Amino acid sequence: MPELPEVEVTRRALAPHVEGRVIEGAVVRDRRLRWPVPADLVKRVRGQQVERLDRRGKYLLWRFARGVLISHLGMSGVWRVLPRAEGIPAPGRHDHADLLFALDCVRLTDPRRFGALLWHRAADGPVEFHPLLAGLGVEPFDPAFTGALLHRGTRGRSAAIKQVLLAGDIVVGVGNIYASESLFRARINPRLSAHRLGPARCDRLAGAIREVLAEAIAVGGSTLRDFVGADGAEGYFMLDAFVYERAGQPCRVCGGAIARIVQGQRATYYCRRCQSR
Ligand SMILES: [Zn+2]
């Protein structure tokens, strides 16, 4: 499942192909994504220039003068850049939408259809107040994301710290993989009640989250060609994990066996020795 690093890498890969460029035409082949694609979406974007491609959490925000196209990759979505000079391949059954620029066709493929393509009219105010975006926590690379913020956000919350991170209302982008990895690096037990974290551990955790996500983006950046290439490879990438999906294998720090537990129906991986408290 694409997490924040994949979305950020997608944004970086797409930006030079779409920013400042005009959408000459668009095709929506299947409107049944997670929410119905607006029937008038093609009309909304045709002839419009993409002013900027931003990311907020796992949403890509295609900014136009008249509004914002909000897209999400869901469980299995991929945007690919298909140069028109090479001839656009016939769409497969999971290729739900194309945005046609002068040089490229930018195609959304999403086999499981949990992704989204929505339109937010500029007349309705800043897209940041859209119901899907309004409740999101701070961006992990925003200077506002600090240990102090994490400390404030976890007061009065007795749920396990891993669950609180996944909720995404303090900081966005810490999905299942990165929650396990960040907690390992910060040497914090994923089952610990969030409110028990003191300022020092919150500082450590905030730093670990930024580090882990930055490394994942760097890894993704190096595989960029495959990721948006026309070869159809799914291309989700993964940083070299310390704990994630390493149940039973030796911890890279202490040699103890990595444990797997289930929290909120999601697998959590951790080292009982390195993360004893
Ligand atoms: Zn260990």
Side-chain angles (χ1 to χ4, degrees), residues 51-255:
E51 294 180 342
R52 217 169 60 236
L53 184 62
D54 285 336
R55 180 190 55 73
R56 179 74 176 100
K58 299 206 305 187
Y59 294 94
L60 283 180
L61 306 177
W62 308 64
R63 294 184 187 270
F64 301 83
R66 291 184 191 169
V68 180
L69 171 64
I70 304 173
S71 73
H72 195 285
L73 296 175
M75 311 278 285
S76 59
V78 181
W79 283 103
R80 278 179 296 149
V81 176
L82 309 168
R84 293 178 72 173
E86 294 171 16
I88 304 170
R93 57 189 286 249
H94 302 303
D95 296 335
H96 306 310
D98 289 349
L99 301 177
L100 281 168
F101 296 85
L103 297 177
D104 301 300
C105 168
V106 178
R107 176 169 282 174
L108 177 67
T109 306
D110 184 0
R112 298 186 62 184
R113 291 199 276 109
F114 278 101
L117 277 182
L118 297 167
W119 181 255
H120 175 81
R121 298 188 316 160
D124 291 337
V127 71
E128 285 73 16
F129 296 118
H130 188 280
L132 291 171
L133 307 181
L136 296 181
V138 70
E139 286 289 326
F141 302 113
D142 187 318
F145 177 53
T146 59
L149 181 101
L150 196 51
H151 190 253
R152 272 200 307 281
T154 48
R155 294 313 87 187
R157 289 172 84 161
S158 56
I161 179 61
K162 189 211 174 196
Q163 298 301 99
V164 169
L165 289 178
L166 287 188
D169 58 327
I170 302 177
V171 57
V172 295
V174 190
N176 204 42
I177 299 171
Y178 303 109
S180 282
E181 290 297 311
S182 304
L183 288 164
F184 175 79
R185 290 204 199 185
R187 305 188 303 280
I188 294 168
N189 190 307
R191 304 161 74 165
L192 188 74
S193 287
H195 67 85
R196 291 186 52 205
L197 287 174
R201 287 204 283 180
C202 285
D203 277 345
R204 232 159 55 209
L205 183 53
I209 287 169
R210 268 195 303 271
E211 240 174 67
V212 165
L213 291 173
E215 282 173 28
I217 291 168
V219 170
S222 67
T223 61
L224 208 56
R225 275 181 63 95
D226 294 338
F227 190 69
V228 290
D231 57 4
E234 204 175 58
Y236 295 145
F237 50 86
M238 176 66 204
L239 79 171
D240 205 7
F242 279 93
V243 291
Y244 189 75
E245 289 189 336
R246 294 195 65 240
Q249 297 178 43
C251 170
R252 295 196 171 135
V253 172
C254 75

